[in-house]
Amino acid sequence: MKTIAKTILRTTLIALPTLGFYSCDNDEEMDMPENEVASLFVSSNTSGMITILDFASMDGIGSSTVASAGADADGIYYDEEEDQIIQLVRSDNSLNVYSDIMAAKMDDGLSASLELSGTGGFVSGREIAVMNDMVIVAESPVEANGNQSSLYVYQKNANGFSLQNTYQVDFALWGIHIEGNTLYAIVDKTADLAVFNNFMANTDGMITPDKRVTIEGLGRTHGLTYSMEDDLMVLTDIGEASSDSDGGLVIITDFTSTLSSTSDGGTISMNDQARIEGSNTMLGNPVDVAYSEDSKMIFVAERANGGGKVLVYDYFSSNGNPSPAYNWDVAGASAVYYYED
């Protein structure tokens, strides 16, 4: 069993003024959260900063930043019970835990601690999924890992992260999402979604998804999120990686029954989807997505357009080309996680 060692560092949480460079075209229609806490956590693969957008304030949407453990970061998660951010940093292939996040937001002079940090296992991590104290890392294929995609399962404890299991898959990984004991995984460079039932029951070695389906109309998918409460799957389409204007978002409602009625190797048709795309959307390379079950907002990490943005859309149930309700410049935006209480 490999253990990622514990180190304790300090980093400063910097409060910024309420952002003034967002679009408010749909301001009157947008159902803003009525929560005491409603925050979007954003990783960057260029800036070395974590951005936290606060949607709970009635005075406007606020922003704060905290230094990341590396300039190139990806998957991100907020643990409300521990008041911690968990982040994957590709700069040194590490998992990192930042503590006292909400407390730091309430006090501009308070530091947030980078409590756990270490490397071990993966060499090309992309996304993380968290279930209780278990952290799953999706690794993309690169020369350094023999072009082998893998899923690493770590247990977080007071001393760091202990590697519990390593699973290899025969396709390139990107986004992942765990719901209960079911893991949903993006099949990179395709329009496919892989589903692993009873994921944690697997033993080390090569594993095969219980079902793999194609999403009709998708060019190349990267990000995904699933809402069990709304039985809703949201997927991103980056289109051509070289283009900053051909991205899209897909919503699949009644996802459980839609997936169940689609055979392994089958296709979820465009009739079972709602899709937005086009010049108004500002979608080019949407690499990650989050969803609010309360306000029905959809949050996107857009990597290509303008060097990185966070785009926010109202829920949609039909195809279209809407403008985002809000948008912010966030350099290198690579991953998003939304939390509301």
Side-chain angles (χ1 to χ4, degrees):
M1 182 182 296
K2 183 177 292 183
T3 300
I4 295 183
K6 175 178 179 180
T7 62
I8 301 179
L9 303 173
R10 301 295 293 181
T11 187
T12 302
L13 191 73
I14 307 166
L16 298 179
T18 299
L19 294 177
F21 43 89
Y22 52 83
S23 165
C24 297
D25 293 342
N26 301 330
D27 188 33
E28 295 182 358
E29 301 176 8
M30 194 164 191
D31 183 16
M32 294 301 291
E34 296 180 357
N35 308 75
E36 292 185 8
V37 179
S39 298
L40 184 74
F41 301 87
V42 188
S43 279
S44 168
N45 58 20
T46 61
S47 72
M49 303 298 290
I50 297 170
T51 299
I52 306 172
L53 299 176
D54 180 12
F55 290 84
S57 173
M58 298 306 294
D59 298 325
I61 300 168
S63 172
S64 53
T65 58
V66 61
S68 175
D72 183 0
D74 216 303
I76 193 166
Y77 176 87
Y78 176 69
D79 180 344
E80 67 274 18
E81 291 185 5
E82 301 293 335
D83 193 22
Q84 296 175 332
I85 291 173
I86 303 173
Q87 186 188 45
L88 183 152
V89 173
R90 290 170 56 83
S91 300
D92 61 358
N93 302 308
S94 64
L95 285 173
N96 302 275
V97 175
Y98 312 82
S99 295
D100 304 321
I101 300 303
M102 291 303 174
K105 285 179 63 181
M106 302 301 174
D107 184 347
D108 295 352
L110 185 66
S111 292
S113 61
L114 174 56
E115 185 174 344
L116 304 178
S117 180
T119 58
F122 60 90
V123 297
S124 181
R126 284 292 179 186
E127 181 61 286
I128 63 173
V130 180
M131 183 180 69
N132 301 322
D133 61 349
M134 309 302 287
V135 181
I136 305 163
V137 173
E139 180 182 51
S140 61
V142 293
E143 186 176 349
N145 59 25
N147 293 309
Q148 174 62 62
S149 265
S150 298
L151 292 157
Y152 295 83
V153 180
Y154 295 90
Q155 185 172 34
K156 181 169 74 76
N157 54 56
N159 297 314
F161 295 87
S162 297
L163 181 61
Q164 303 295 304
N165 297 99
T166 304
Y167 308 122
Q168 291 83 39
V169 296
D170 64 356
F171 57 85
L173 287 160
W174 199 282
I176 55 174
H177 179 96
I178 193 161
E179 195 70 46
N181 202 25
T182 299
L183 183 79
Y184 301 102
I186 291 299
V187 183
D188 190 20
K189 303 178 183 179
T190 75
D192 290 3
L193 173 68
V195 183
F196 297 88
N197 300 323
N198 300 314
F199 174 74
M200 292 295 188
N202 284 297
T203 56
D204 286 358
M206 184 67 69
I207 61 173
T208 302
D210 295 277
K211 183 173 285 190
R212 176 170 166 172
V213 296
T214 298
I215 314 301
E216 184 182 11
L218 274 183
R220 178 182 177 182
T221 186
H222 261 20
L224 80 166
T225 192
Y226 173 71
S227 165
M228 183 170 63
E229 179 177 312
D230 292 347
D231 194 18
L232 180 80
M233 177 66 76
V234 187
L235 298 153
T236 73
D237 185 355
I238 71 164
E240 292 291 335
S242 58
S243 172
D244 64 358
S245 61
D246 68 343
L249 281 180
V250 166
I251 286 180
I252 303 172
T253 56
D254 299 319
F255 179 72
T256 301
S257 61
T258 300
L259 180 65
S260 178
S261 63
T262 306
S263 61
D264 182 30
T267 298
I268 295 178
S269 75
M270 296 186 73
N271 292 332
D272 293 317
Q273 312 168 31
R275 180 184 175 95
I276 60 172
E277 61 185 339
S279 58
N280 293 337
T281 66
M282 304 178 71
L283 293 166
N285 285 183
V287 291
D288 198 21
V289 63
Y291 172 73
S292 166
E293 293 172 340
D294 181 31
S295 65
K296 312 306 180 188
M297 294 186 296
I298 301 165
F299 306 87
V300 176
E302 163 56 44
R303 182 59 187 85
N305 193 326
K309 294 179 180 292
V310 167
L311 306 175
V312 185
Y313 302 90
D314 294 304
Y315 173 86
F316 56 92
S317 57
S318 58
N319 298 342
N321 179 21
S323 299
Y326 293 93
N327 75 84
W328 295 264
D329 292 326
V330 179
S334 58
V336 288
Y337 182 84
Y338 183 74
Y339 168 72
E340 58 192 356
D341 183 18

